[in-house]
Amino acid sequence: MSTATASRPRVPAPVFDIGLAALLGLLASATTVGATPDHHPGPAAFGLIWLSVAFLAVRRLSPEAALAGTLAALYVYLSLDLPEGPVYMLPAVAVFFYSFTRPLKTVLAVVLGVLVVNTLFQSYALDSSRDLWISATVSLIWLGIPTAGGRIVREARRARSREREAERERYRAEERVEMAREIHDVVGHSLAVVSMNAGVALHMADKHPGTPDGVVENLRAIREASNRALQDLRATLAPLRKGQQPELRPTGAVADIAALVDGVRKGGLAVDYTLTGDPALVPVNVAATAYRVVQESLTNVIRHAEATKATVQIACEPGALHVAVLDDGRGGPLHPDRMGQGVTGMMERVQAGGGDFTAAPRPGGGFAVKAHIPYDRKESR
């Protein structure tokens, strides 16, 4: 969408509807004067014309009221033997807008009913000498043209909307491709360098038998974590680089938390892990949320808490999953305006599942992250 198009001022809908109806009223009133050489319109004719105009002004709020009101005004107008001609235009406009706004089946049923009523009115109530088939033909033309016009305009507008959406999707696809390139080039390169340096350090450690075991374990954990992260990154970015939406599936299960904790232990942090209940009861999406909460919490412990020990507690109860990650670090209050994306992300994940989340200092020192995530047991079947 161009800037000029986006910034173009738009007339409010009520103003447009009233203005269009008034314009049609002026046109119908002006052309009614002298519509027949021997019959001049009076106040009743103009009153009924402007009554139809009033109904047309609300056609956006109620197309049914606009259609019924203009038809009723027309039949009263004709029953009073007022000049025919331009007055037929106003119900035709109502038919056009009704056809434009309502589903096709409804439009066909209503227009068919109006066709029958108008044919009978023209042939029997208005002029008994008029041939029934002639009245039906005239009514069909009078109603068919605005009905077809309304449907054509409706489909044309929908086609333009689909084209605009397709253009926006092409633009988004191009953005995804560009974003995938940038992420892969920056993050992927950094992870590859981390993995390579860890591998080089392990190779050097093999040549020096006196290297402490803790250092070797840390290097192996770094290399394994960076390799896994690089693989996950490539798998996530592969659809993006093709301009497609990534397939976001829940990753991580309750059973995987043990391996996650073990990897943190290899990094030098003592972690106690307890699991109670049956993990098989937990639905996949709830398990993935719990995994991410534990992962992010332990990452924060390593990066910020200056802790020597952490505790991870998972309780798989019927209908709810409880997660707690505790540490003995420096604790301290968590200010909302300084919460990082990690804590915010954990809270959003848990709350999206209808759960409760807290992250706060512990009374005896350290910090505690707790999550309670309810679930329907039928989801795990």
Side-chain angles (χ1 to χ4, degrees):
M1 182 182 295
S2 64
T3 304
T5 302
S7 60
R8 182 184 303 167
R10 299 188 63 182
V11 178
V15 175
F16 177 81
D17 293 344
I18 294 173
L20 178 61
L23 179 62
L24 293 173
L26 291 173
L27 181 62
S29 298
T31 53
T32 298
V33 177
T36 58
D38 58 345
H39 197 167
H40 300 283
F46 293 116
L48 290 169
I49 287 174
W50 285 95
L51 178 60
S52 297
V53 168
F55 281 111
L56 285 179
V58 298
R59 52 95 181 171
R60 193 186 301 265
L61 296 176
S62 178
E64 290 79 10
L67 180 58
T70 54
L71 285 172
L74 171 66
Y75 293 147
V76 174
Y77 184 100
L78 297 176
S79 298
L80 296 176
D81 197 25
L82 298 173
E84 298 185 27
V87 69
Y88 283 97
M89 172 183 64
L90 301 177
V93 173
V95 171
F96 173 89
F97 284 117
Y98 186 83
S99 175
F100 174 76
T101 56
R102 293 296 183 252
L104 180 59
K105 290 183 179 180
T106 303
V107 170
L108 293 177
V110 171
V111 171
L112 180 60
V114 174
L115 175 64
V116 173
V117 171
N118 190 72
T119 300
L120 296 176
F121 178 84
Q122 295 286 347
S123 298
Y124 299 107
L126 190 62
D127 186 359
S128 59
S129 64
R130 182 173 296 181
D131 184 83
L132 182 65
W133 292 108
I134 293 177
S135 296
T137 302
V138 173
S139 299
L140 180 61
I141 295 173
W142 174 57
L143 297 171
I145 292 176
T147 300
R151 300 309 300 183
I152 290 172
V153 173
R154 176 188 175 99
E155 294 304 320
R157 178 169 292 188
R158 293 178 65 180
R160 288 196 298 269
S161 178
R162 288 193 294 267
E163 289 176 0
R164 289 193 294 268
E165 181 58 32
E167 182 64 27
R168 286 193 290 267
E169 182 56 35
R170 285 194 293 270
Y171 179 74
R172 288 193 291 265
E174 293 174 358
E175 284 188 324
R176 288 194 290 266
V177 171
E178 184 63 27
M179 179 177 64
R181 291 197 190 102
E182 291 296 325
I183 295 175
H184 183 271
D185 291 345
V186 176
V187 181
H189 174 73
S190 299
L191 289 173
V193 170
V194 170
S195 177
M196 180 187 68
N197 287 338
V200 171
L202 282 172
H203 179 71
M204 297 299 296
D206 290 339
K207 294 185 176 181
H208 298 79
T211 304
D213 293 338
V215 173
V216 175
E217 288 296 324
N218 272 317
L219 291 174
R220 287 175 178 167
I222 292 172
R223 185 176 62 177
E224 292 173 2
S226 59
N227 285 337
R228 284 196 303 269
L230 186 58
Q231 291 172 2
D232 292 342
L233 178 67
R234 287 170 175 168
T236 302
L237 295 183
L240 286 174
R241 302 193 71 166
K242 298 177 182 178
Q244 302 171 353
Q245 290 278 8
E247 184 180 359
L248 300 178
R249 295 173 295 180
T251 56
V254 175
D256 298 328
I257 295 178
L260 175 65
V261 170
D262 189 57
V264 174
R265 288 183 183 134
K266 292 179 180 179
L269 178 66
V271 183
D272 289 337
Y273 175 54
T274 58
L275 170 64
T276 59
D278 185 4
L281 295 175
V282 183
V284 175
N285 59 327
V286 175
T289 298
Y291 182 91
R292 293 306 179 192
V293 168
V294 174
Q295 183 183 50
E296 184 62 33
S297 299
L298 290 177
T299 299
N300 289 339
V301 171
I302 295 171
R303 294 176 58 189
H304 307 299
E306 300 176 3
T308 59
K309 183 180 179 181
T311 301
V312 176
Q313 300 171 345
I314 306 294
C316 305
E317 299 179 355
L321 179 67
H322 296 272
V323 180
V325 180
L326 318 173
D327 68 70
D328 63 352
R330 54 189 176 88
L334 184 65
H335 298 286
D337 57 345
R338 292 192 296 176
M339 283 197 307
Q341 292 298 317
V343 174
T344 303
M346 286 189 290
M347 180 172 59
E348 290 175 347
R349 282 177 180 270
V350 173
Q351 292 178 349
D356 299 321
F357 176 86
T358 59
R362 299 171 62 190
F367 203 80
V369 174
K370 297 181 180 180
H372 167 81
I373 313 170
Y375 60 84
D376 186 349
R377 294 185 63 179
K378 294 180 182 179
E379 296 179 7
S380 63
R381 300 305 180 192

